[in-house]
Amino acid sequence: GGRGSVRALVVMPTYNEAESVIGVVERVLDADPRVDVLVVDDGSPDGTAALVAARAAGEPRLHLLQRDAKRGLGAAYRAGFAWGLDRGYDALVEMDADLSHPPERLPALLDGLADADLVIGSRYVPGGRTVNWSPLRKAISRGGNAYVRLALGLPVHDSTAGYRAYRRQVLEALPVSAVQSNGYCFQVEMAHRTWQEGFRVLEVPIAFTERATGVSKMNKQIVAEALWRVGVWALTGGRRRARARHPESVAVGRPD
């Protein structure tokens, strides 16, 4: 199908987002007529799921997947991707529920899939930026991404970014169930495996806004785990691609 016929599913993991979730969902649905939204709630005690279920009753583009326990971001995305692939969506989008990711950039992410297999909403390409971050936080994030790029030879400037769109062919080709890492590591590992398998990765600039509410998801343990895992991947063949171009890539037959 052409550009207009892309059916995309925005997979949005939630945990205690009752205050903001409906507002975010409305903005996402307004941002692009091609998208439906699947909220994957990890058993929020604050009633997030009930709010979403009530809204979904009158909104055919909104869906809810309830999970009984907090198992982490990677697990939520794996479940959401499987749900969307089963239902025939062409593209699957990862997005936070706290409005740190601007919904108005959804059209740019989806349009990018005409030329790429994974489109990342990036803070570290020209035009991208972070809002409300301390200089230290910026330095840690930029440094971590530079380390990933150097260690793995991965030509991506923002591999930890969590705002991204995949063509379904990528998720079918990767053993997503084998990607066991979580949080920042999940994002890096998915970008890395996508590139390694010969899919084309594109970055489009976004402004990432740190939200005053909620607790930052980053801590020393997560950073240390990411650094350690990336080091292991680099030493165990992570710098080599399986092939220059995957046969299912949108870019087959095109020069880079």
Side-chain angles (χ1 to χ4, degrees):
R3 224 178 82 175
S5 63
V6 171
R7 286 183 65 236
L9 182 69
V10 174
V11 179
M12 192 181 286
T14 55
Y15 187 77
N16 286 353
E17 313 274 0
E19 280 179 35
S20 61
V21 68
I22 299 303
V24 176
V25 165
E26 302 286 358
R27 282 186 55 181
V28 170
L29 293 175
D30 284 347
D32 198 306
R34 294 170 288 184
V35 306
D36 293 352
V37 175
L38 174 68
V39 170
V40 182
D41 188 66
D42 261 1
S44 298
D46 75 345
T48 297
L51 285 171
V52 174
R55 184 69 191 89
E59 175 50 80
R61 293 168 63 200
L62 176 60
H63 309 277
L64 172 67
L65 181 59
Q66 286 184 266
R67 293 157 62 75
D68 52 5
K70 194 157 164 53
R71 297 205 192 96
L73 195 71
Y77 278 129
R78 282 190 290 274
F81 291 161
W83 191 99
L85 291 173
D86 281 350
R87 285 158 182 81
Y89 287 93
D90 306 306
L92 292 107
V93 179
E94 298 184 13
M95 188 179 187
D96 287 351
D98 63 0
L99 279 182
S100 54
H101 298 151
E104 58 277 10
R105 291 299 279 160
L106 267 171
L109 288 183
L110 295 180
D111 290 349
L113 292 178
D115 299 303
D117 304 296
L118 164 58
V119 181
I120 295 177
S122 176
R123 299 162 288 193
Y124 303 129
V125 292
R129 60 198 175 97
T130 51
V131 181
N132 297 343
W133 268 21
S134 69
L136 177 63
R137 180 89 186 268
K138 279 185 189 174
I140 291 171
S141 177
R142 267 188 186 275
N145 276 291
Y147 167 70
V148 168
R149 207 158 60 244
L150 290 166
L152 298 176
L154 179 66
V156 174
H157 293 84
D158 196 354
S159 58
T160 60
Y163 193 19
R164 47 176 71 186
Y166 295 90
R167 289 175 68 237
R168 69 172 294 127
Q169 288 84 347
V170 174
L171 300 176
E172 288 171 336
L174 299 188
V176 177
S177 56
V179 177
Q180 291 306 323
S181 53
N182 250 309
Y184 287 82
C185 251
F186 175 77
Q187 307 298 8
V188 173
E189 186 171 358
M190 287 291 293
H192 181 230
R193 285 187 185 227
T194 298
W195 169 78
Q196 264 196 315
E197 284 301 318
F199 288 105
R200 179 182 278 179
V201 182
L202 171 72
E203 292 180 276
V204 298
I206 66 152
F208 176 98
T209 305
E210 184 67 30
R211 291 293 147 193
T213 58
V215 184
S216 168
K217 301 172 192 78
M218 187 148 92
N219 60 38
K220 290 190 191 75
Q221 196 180 344
I222 291 172
V223 174
E225 185 206 355
L227 294 176
W228 173 77
R229 279 188 192 259
V230 168
V232 171
W233 295 332
L235 295 171
T236 55
R239 297 181 62 87
R240 287 191 302 277
R241 303 183 81 177
R243 53 178 83 74
R245 186 71 72 226
H246 194 282
E248 289 291 316
S249 173
V250 74
V252 161
R254 298 185 206 174
D256 253 325

